[in-house]
Amino acid sequence: MDQSLEELRVTALAQIAGVGDEASLEAVRVQYLGRAGKISAASEAMKSLPKEDKPRIGKLLNEVRGAVSGALDAAKAALLAKADQAAFAGVDGSLPGTGLPQGSLHPLTQLQERAIQIFRRMGFALADGPDIETEFHCFDALNTPADHPARNEQDTFYFGDGRLLRTHTSSVQVRTMEKVAPPVRIIAPGAAYRRDEIDATHLAQFTQMEGLYVDENVSVADLKGTLEFFFRELLGKDAQFRFRPHFFPFTEPSYEVDIKTSALGSADRWLEIAGCGMVDPAVFEAINTRRGDRAFDPEKVTGFAFGFGLDRLAMILSRVPDIRYFTDNDQRFLAQF
Ligand code: DAH
């Protein structure tokens, strides 16, 4: 048996050496190592050997099996390497790669993210509401009566069922107070819509950020401190502010905020940047009626609200001369941010 095993080794290795493709190699493997293969047969034959021969023959058999299986592995690796070489023939590995273009966040999104981060540090949570709103959430609850010019069909996009595209994110104030009780401290960034004539500084859709803070003893000082801190963090410590008395239906008193800051190129002139004020008790009462409780009792809680547009800020900060670039989706524009 020793001799037949030696012969088996020699033929197997010769066969393997002569194989030129993977399929034939697999056939050879089955022929020797398969369940009905020659090596299995040899190990079967071993059972009938005299006891004293078994250890020696067994050892030899193991050697032959190891040699054949090693040669098969080596031959397979060699075939794969050859296939790789063929696949890459003619490819110059020293040429520079083409690289994949990397996307980036839209300048408006970048600004919005920065703004959110600053308000988060002051404990404001993110709130959300639908772009398609009811008149109640956009106007009535915000103390804006039916004859208010903001509700004019010429100024707003109405749907046949009376709903409309929200003209400001202030509707999220209402949505939030319907659901939660004081203390409320939220910001709500999002789209707002108006029937504006479209030009370099106006779009029918723009982006706002709303804020609302309701608790016991919230004062105008809190409002001023919060907004001044926010805009200084966003635009630079040198910013100066002016709170000008103004009118909004949903706040009393109301202010417009002007800012002077080098970051906006307005170090020597005032730039109007936000609207704000103390939540009008009429708004709290509209919410209470809707909720059916007194969670926003104006005798117990006060609040401030504010809203500002992000588009003009982003335009100044990113030196974008025309607001329409923000929505054109022109790759040459977007790739710059
Ligand atoms: N909603 C106003 C607008 O669209 C902005 C605004 C002013 C929001 C005063 C407020 C506020 O929350 O208190 O022009």
Side-chain angles (χ1 to χ4, degrees):
M1 185 147 180
D2 303 53
Q3 201 186 340
S4 69
L5 276 178
E6 282 302 348
E7 281 172 16
L8 191 139
R9 172 180 0 217
V10 174
T11 12
L13 293 187
Q15 238 177 307
I16 293 169
V19 156
D21 61 277
E22 277 194 72
S24 327
L25 192 67
E26 175 61 12
V28 174
R29 191 189 66 77
V30 172
Q31 189 185 343
Y32 287 93
L33 298 178
R35 251 194 296 158
K38 293 186 179 174
I39 289 181
S40 313
S43 99
E44 195 61 31
M46 230 184 73
K47 287 184 188 159
S48 53
L49 286 180
K51 213 172 164 192
E52 62 273 23
D53 287 344
K54 277 189 182 170
R56 183 172 42 83
I57 298 290
K59 189 162 169 258
L60 181 57
L61 182 65
N62 275 340
E63 270 175 38
V64 173
R65 184 188 286 120
V68 171
S69 123
L72 281 167
D73 289 348
K76 182 153 186 181
L79 282 176
L80 284 176
K82 226 167 93 185
D84 279 353
Q85 261 176 14
F88 286 113
V91 174
D92 181 351
S94 68
L95 285 175
T98 40
L100 287 174
Q102 196 182 8
S104 60
L105 292 177
H106 191 281
L108 264 175
T109 309
Q110 290 182 21
L111 177 63
Q112 184 171 304
E113 284 302 313
R114 282 181 57 210
I116 291 172
Q117 290 313 324
I118 297 169
F119 279 117
R120 280 202 173 204
R121 279 159 51 201
M122 290 189 277
F124 284 79
L126 265 183
D128 204 2
D131 289 21
I132 300 176
E133 259 303 0
T134 64
E135 289 197 64
F136 174 79
H137 292 93
C138 198
F139 298 128
D140 296 282
L142 289 166
N143 199 30
T144 307
D147 60 359
H148 193 280
R151 298 179 69 147
N152 195 311
E153 274 184 48
Q154 263 59 55
D155 295 331
T156 310
F157 297 97
Y158 283 93
F159 291 85
D161 61 4
R163 289 185 304 164
L164 52 102
L165 290 179
R166 66 181 182 196
T167 57
H168 51 188
T169 45
S170 305
S171 55
V172 184
Q173 290 185 33
V174 180
R175 293 262 167 204
T176 305
M177 288 189 281
E178 279 177 347
K179 283 188 297 228
V180 301
V184 176
R185 191 158 35 173
I186 55 115
I187 46 166
Y193 306 83
R194 279 175 212 174
R195 268 201 207 198
D196 272 330
E197 205 64 56
I198 291 175
D199 60 26
T201 52
H202 295 88
L203 281 175
Q205 177 189 331
F206 52 103
T207 312
Q208 287 191 327
M209 183 170 269
E210 191 77 16
L212 173 71
Y213 184 11
V214 184
D215 202 349
E216 287 169 20
N217 300 317
V218 176
S219 69
V220 174
D222 298 316
L223 166 60
K224 290 182 72 175
T226 302
L227 282 184
E228 290 186 7
F229 176 82
F230 167 73
F231 282 115
R232 284 206 175 100
E233 285 297 296
L234 188 72
L235 302 170
K237 309 279 184 227
D238 74 332
Q240 289 174 267
F241 298 90
R242 193 165 72 178
F243 284 72
R244 250 184 313 108
H246 196 74
F247 173 79
F248 295 105
F250 34 90
T251 43
E252 176 60 33
S254 306
Y255 308 93
E256 272 188 338
V257 187
D258 299 334
I259 190 169
K260 262 189 193 180
T261 167
S262 51
L264 296 178
S266 71
D268 50 4
R269 70 198 156 88
W270 293 106
L271 204 69
E272 183 194 317
I273 199 169
C276 63
M278 301 306 291
V279 178
D280 195 304
V283 173
F284 285 146
E285 291 300 3
I287 300 284
N288 288 333
T289 305
R290 182 78 160 197
R291 293 173 57 105
D293 63 17
R294 307 278 313 148
F296 289 86
D297 184 347
E299 296 298 324
K300 297 203 175 104
V301 293
T302 49
F304 67 71
F306 57 85
F308 54 90
L310 288 173
D311 304 77
R312 194 165 53 121
L313 270 180
M315 284 173 73
I316 300 174
L317 290 173
S318 304
R319 300 180 198 289
V320 174
D322 191 318
I323 194 174
R324 288 169 288 197
Y325 284 126
F326 283 155
T327 51
D328 280 350
N329 263 344
D330 187 328
Q331 168 65 16
R332 291 166 302 180
F333 170 76
L334 296 172
Q336 296 175 50
F337 301 96

